[in-house]
Amino acid sequence: MSFINKVALAGATGNLGPAILDALLSVGFQITVLTRQTSNHNLPSSVAVKKVDYASLDSLTSALQGQDAVVSTLATTSIDQQLLLVEAAAKAGVKRFIPSEFGSDTLHEKTSSLPVFQGKVAVQNGLKEQTKSSGLSYTLVCTGPFLDWGVQVGFLLNIKEKSINLYDGGDRVFSTTTLASIGKAVAGVLQNLDATKNRAVYVQDTAITLKDFLAKGKKAAGSEGWKEEVVAVDDLLAKAWEELKKENPNPDAFVYNFIIASIWGEGYGSHFQKLDNDLLDIKQLNDDELQAIVSKYA
């Protein structure tokens, strides 16, 4: 497969977009950022910007002409838009598509069955269909929860308030990756097209338990005054499924619970067993480096 030079990035803002943009620029790709018609972003001068209508196949196809690859960080709630982006990429002759995956292992049978991931599965199926009739290929990037972001916003542990939920006791090992390493993984995929073609790649900065995170939180913020709550994942799942039975279910009452199950529930594949770190040149964190990330947000 020929090399990648021009990359279109859909979603250069938000939590993950800037890290991916920085990584792509650092290795010399020519970047075009796709933005909504009403958006105004302060981007580096070396980045081209094209305003698009994400609801228009013609608009997206026109914007992707001449692009070698598309990387999407669109919100997973924007599934119709991402499916249209996949179709546009195929029509425009794009070689590689990296969808907005970046999280739990949605190729795992148990994880893929959760309602919150049905949009991602739909995009995967759309990509597979396009590979049959066009020159488009794809790569899914599985990362586990965002490590540094997860500490910063209190998702993994709330170091500011000294609190943590220990799901099923907090002893289950899970893979987790920093935003910068996710960006590096994306750049690495585009530099290793044949080895990453039409498959998922798995990366992690570390594999850890919530109890390990708690220990690092105590080292960073002091061991006194922590609130540690043991939460049963099965209870969260039961509440989520019950909410979905309602005529107008509240996403706030089920989305988060399903995501938690995919990371800390039993048998959801959240501890990646086969890694692509070496292929994508991602070195795992040592204990001191991991402690520094936790301490940064204390």
Side-chain angles (χ1 to χ4, degrees):
M1 181 176 286
S2 57
F3 71 95
I4 297 294
N5 181 32
K6 296 182 178 180
V7 181
L9 177 58
T13 58
N15 297 318
L16 182 57
I20 291 178
L21 177 60
D22 287 348
L24 293 174
L25 288 172
S26 72
V27 293
F29 290 115
Q30 294 183 38
I31 308 300
T32 297
V33 168
L34 306 183
T35 67
R36 302 180 193 279
Q37 301 285 354
T38 56
S39 297
N40 289 293
H41 302 301
N42 185 22
L43 296 167
S45 59
S46 61
V47 174
V49 177
K50 287 190 177 181
K51 292 185 178 293
V52 298
D53 178 359
Y54 278 107
S56 167
L57 179 61
D58 288 343
S59 173
L60 292 170
T61 304
S62 176
L64 295 179
Q65 292 294 331
Q67 297 296 321
D68 299 315
V70 174
V71 179
S72 173
T73 66
L74 295 176
T76 52
T77 52
S78 306
I79 294 307
D80 290 343
Q81 295 177 357
Q82 195 163 188
L83 285 169
L84 208 60
L85 189 62
V86 170
E87 184 178 353
K91 288 189 67 174
V94 170
K95 301 169 187 174
R96 180 62 53 92
F97 195 107
I98 300 177
S100 187
E101 196 69 33
F102 312 118
S104 298
D105 182 7
T106 56
L107 277 76
H108 189 281
E109 183 178 4
K110 197 170 179 179
T111 304
S112 66
S113 68
L114 294 172
V116 73
F117 296 122
Q118 293 315 294
K120 289 188 175 183
V121 173
V123 171
Q124 293 169 17
N125 291 335
L127 284 164
K128 290 173 185 176
E129 284 301 311
Q130 291 295 346
T131 64
K132 298 176 183 178
S133 56
S134 72
L136 186 67
S137 61
Y138 67 88
T139 306
L140 314 175
V141 181
C142 297
T143 64
F146 305 162
L147 196 166
D148 45 348
W149 175 90
V151 176
Q152 181 181 13
V153 305
F155 179 69
L156 297 175
L157 80 166
N158 191 327
I159 198 165
K160 295 291 188 185
E161 298 183 7
K162 290 188 171 183
S163 66
I164 188 170
N165 288 333
L166 298 172
Y167 297 108
D168 285 354
D171 291 312
R172 205 160 276 140
V173 178
F174 63 98
S175 299
T176 178
T177 312
T178 61
L179 298 176
S181 289
I182 295 172
K184 191 172 184 179
V186 169
V189 165
L190 298 180
Q191 293 171 309
N192 293 276
L193 293 181
D194 290 335
T196 60
K197 182 178 180 180
N198 296 341
R199 72 175 183 94
V201 295
Y202 294 85
V203 296
Q204 67 181 33
D205 273 317
T206 190
I208 191 171
T209 70
L210 286 171
K211 281 188 175 178
D212 289 335
F213 261 119
L214 174 60
K216 295 190 182 312
K218 288 181 176 180
K219 185 174 181 179
S223 59
E224 300 298 323
W226 278 83
K227 179 183 177 183
E228 304 166 27
E229 184 174 356
V230 175
V231 179
V233 172
D234 283 348
D235 290 346
L236 296 180
L237 283 171
K239 291 175 182 177
W241 287 113
E242 193 63 32
E243 182 67 25
L244 282 179
K245 293 178 182 177
K246 297 179 180 179
E247 184 176 351
N248 295 300
N250 178 8
D252 291 339
F254 68 84
V255 170
Y256 188 67
N257 289 14
F258 285 129
I259 291 173
I260 287 171
S262 75
I263 303 169
W264 293 296
E266 184 176 4
Y268 286 89
S270 60
H271 181 198
F272 303 153
Q273 298 301 302
K274 186 177 180 181
L275 297 174
D276 292 284
N277 282 47
D278 289 345
L279 174 66
L280 304 177
D281 194 27
I282 295 172
K283 182 182 178 182
Q284 295 193 56
L285 298 172
N286 62 38
D287 194 66
D288 289 341
E289 291 167 332
L290 183 55
Q291 182 65 56
I293 291 174
V294 176
S295 298
K296 177 180 178 181
Y297 299 106

